[in-house]
Amino acid sequence: MTDFAKRRRVMVDTQVRPSDVTLFPIIEAMLSIPRERFVPTRLQEAAYLGENLPIGPNRAILEPRTLAKMLNLLAVGPRDLVLDLAPGFGYSTAVLAHLAQAVVAVEPEEPLVTEAEAALAEVGIDNAAIQAGEPAHGAPEHGPYDAIAVQGAVEVLPDAIADQLAEGGRIACIFSEDRLGTCRLGIKADGRINWRFAFNASAPVLPGFEKKPEFSL
């Protein structure tokens, strides 16, 4: 029988701690949440590997290192309302729920919404809600948000998402440019988001976050 608890400790000790993830609540959350419960059954044996896990066209569960470093950038606290975009089976939402006051997640695949809701309930998380919808539209009815996490790469951030970030709020996402990926932290000040490079990372570009083709005559 697979010892997932041991694999979880090894994941944190070899992938998370050495990656400059210094906030203890993140480490504590990733030690306690059974990641294997938030992946497809066929991928449970790979749940703790240091790589993105594909879950569909242009969709992946981000590798533990990337997610942990993104959350370290966001520095989510117990009073924060967080928007989690395209969480798949809900692992990122579960980790965020350990850090935040409340989490709203938007997942485009309804079967995954059902799976994620069941997994969150099973591990006793009651301060997160996952709804079906287009991640590029967000969930404006619950915002504005103190922090936003995007569980995939973007070529451009939709205005609808930028508008849902509170003044002084933080957003972390992976920008894809010519097959290269960089995770950036954005902070909203005076109504606009100012970005800074954080680290290199890669992920599929989420549907709805692509650049629109430019037409020329």
Side-chain angles (χ1 to χ4, degrees), residues 13 16 18 39 56 59 68 97 99 101 105 108 136 138 144 169 178 193-194 201 206:
D13 288 342
V16 177
V39 303
R59 296 294 308 280
L99 311 174
Q101 182 176 59
D178 298 325
I193 297 177
N194 300 300
L206 290 171

Side-chain angles (χ1 to χ4, degrees), residues 19-42:
S19 299
D20 298 322
V21 176
T22 57
L23 298 178
F24 182 73
I26 297 172
I27 293 171
E28 185 180 46
M30 297 185 85
L31 279 171
S32 64
I33 295 168
R35 184 173 164 92
E36 74 276 5
R37 181 61 185 84
F38 293 89
V39 303
T41 302
R42 61 183 172 81

Side-chain angles (χ1 to χ4, degrees), residues 56-211:
N58 297 314
R59 296 294 308 280
I61 299 170
L62 295 181
E63 63 170 324
R65 168 190 173 275
T66 297
L67 177 63
K69 286 175 73 69
M70 287 176 66
L71 299 186
N72 202 71
L73 289 172
L74 289 173
V76 172
R79 295 184 179 181
D80 285 337
L81 174 63
V82 181
L83 178 63
D84 192 24
L85 298 176
F89 287 77
Y91 178 70
S92 57
T93 304
V95 176
L96 282 163
H98 270 251
L99 311 174
Q101 182 176 59
V103 182
V104 176
V106 181
E107 167 54 46
E109 302 293 333
E110 291 200 24
L112 295 190
V113 173
T114 302
E115 291 270 4
E117 287 177 335
L120 290 170
E122 187 176 307
V123 300
I125 291 173
D126 60 5
N127 63 329
I130 296 187
Q131 62 187 52
E134 293 299 324
H137 298 163
E141 65 276 19
H142 300 297
Y145 300 94
D146 301 298
I148 299 176
V150 184
Q151 305 302 322
V154 310
E155 291 178 334
V156 62
L157 187 74
D159 289 342
I161 300 304
D163 290 345
Q164 291 170 48
L165 187 63
E167 184 72 10
R170 299 91 64 205
I171 179 170
C173 57
I174 299 165
F175 282 82
S176 179
E177 298 173 343
D178 298 325
R179 298 186 180 181
L180 298 176
T182 59
C183 184
R184 301 177 193 170
L185 174 67
I187 298 177
K188 194 169 190 179
D190 297 326
R192 60 176 292 177
I193 297 177
N194 300 300
W195 296 95
R196 69 169 177 85
F197 168 83
F199 60 93
N200 294 316
S202 63
V205 176
L206 290 171
F209 292 81
E210 310 94 340
K211 280 184 179 176

